[in-house]
Amino acid sequence: MEQGEGGGAPPAMDYASFESYLDNFDTQSDLFDAYADLMQSYDPSAMSWGEQLALFDPDFAQMVLEASYDSPAMPGTENIWADMDFNADPWVLPPEQALYQAEMQVDFAPYLDAMQPDATAAVTADNSLADALSHWNQQDHPYSCAVATTEMILDGYGLDFSESDIAQVFQDAGIYDPQQGTAPTEIDETLNALFEHQGIGLEARELDNWQVSDLQELLDKGVRPLIALDAAETWPGSETSTLNEFMGIPDSGHAVQLIAIEDGPDGQVAVLNDPAAPEGKGMRVPMDTFLDACDDFGNLAIAVEQKAAGGEA
Amino acid sequence: MTLAKTIDRVCKGAFSDEVPFSGYVPPPALIPDPAHKSSGLLFISFVTARSPQTGKTAIFRPSAVLRLNGKGKLVAFRNYREAGDQFPSLRWSKPLAMWPHPAVAGMTVKAYTEKRDALLEMYEAELPRFPASRALSPGFAESWRLIAHPVVLPFLKELAPHFYKAVSAPVAKAA
């Protein structure tokens, strides 16, 4: 365990005390409700987190801040809860059934017909790197990486869907929740339903356990796939930035667009359009790092290709 | 696939298309299985949400639990939103904690992931020992306590009491 800045070992954890402390509550929810109320009312500009906890219960403050944690400092000074309404509907998450057991019975007409009258125009693809870079777009919401990546892919085919349009399509299909993200293995079915409805000559397909040669083959055809990976492994700031500065939990899944594989002086690099970071346009990641990050999610990719004359992509 | 890789994928929600299991998933607890002289693994999935303005992540109550056997095969899954909620009085809309916990907040992302990966590699050796000893090696317990967010502890007290007791055992101090 790491040591505090003041030198010397941090106080030893005392979980026996913590356990006996929990026993003081009639139910666990009593404790959690009290703790949640405390967090909700916490104003960092008024007092430190430790002081706030001590007001709540000195014993709890002692055990949680000084025993369970090495560093009692609550980082940051902004009140992160200021923009939240804890009683608003968005915080009540939809049933899992509705989210994950998607039925392809989406009525696209209400918004798509008005939105994209020229969607049936001939789709084209330019497989130059400059073109790929021009379609980069930073995601609008914390969990909309797959939505934003899909927007980049379709934009590359000259289809001017906005991120909010695609988010609506994915939400209606039950595969995207702004609070949780997108179920990646349902993207191909959802997009194919959309393409069919709009008469767009594209077809999406899922690749599992892809090899680098599969990706290279797609790129050679001007197809830039969505890739599922662990963003913490590809993020350029991972060696210098702290967890407190990292947006989200490192173990969470992420979606990016692969736009090229290049040979560099230190070996191959994957060139990505990462929608999460301001510097995500054309981000270059060593191939070994990229492959490790993708392996965590079973080398999953979604490719959108032009349909051949016979109907096959 | 190694056990560490399986644990890694479950924690990262890589199987969330098969079972609704994503959000914050701390390193799992061991569940002793004396009949097979091994242990199972209990994973808890916590709901998370990020502030649109600051990007900070809040941790809410558990949404599901999942058990693997010692071979890394799924043997049980319970979705608290559907049935069998073991914490029915906990509201879904209230945050319980904030990520990251202070013990790791100052760590670089790379250092954290390396320590976390090292912890996952230790599970293989802990599994066969736990049913008989009901104890964890000091290195594993210390590493687990560092990496896992403390919000998981009260839930483990209920769901995995043997592991809770073992991971809570006082750390032996050098003379």
Side-chain angles (χ1 to χ4, degrees), chain A residues 35 37 96 142 185 295-296, chain B residues 9 12 17 81 94 96:
Chain A
Y35 185 61
D37 286 342
E96 298 283 2
T185 58
D295 181 61
D296 295 343
Chain B
R9 287 193 177 183
K12 289 176 176 171
D17 290 322
R81 289 204 180 94
K94 278 198 171 185
L96 301 180

Side-chain angles (χ1 to χ4, degrees), chain A residues 95-102 174 180-181 183 186, chain B residues 16-17 19-22:
Chain A
E96 298 283 2
Q97 290 281 66
L99 179 61
Y100 288 99
Q101 295 185 3
Q180 295 194 335
E186 307 287 348
Chain B
S16 59
D17 290 322
V19 290
F21 206 77
S22 58

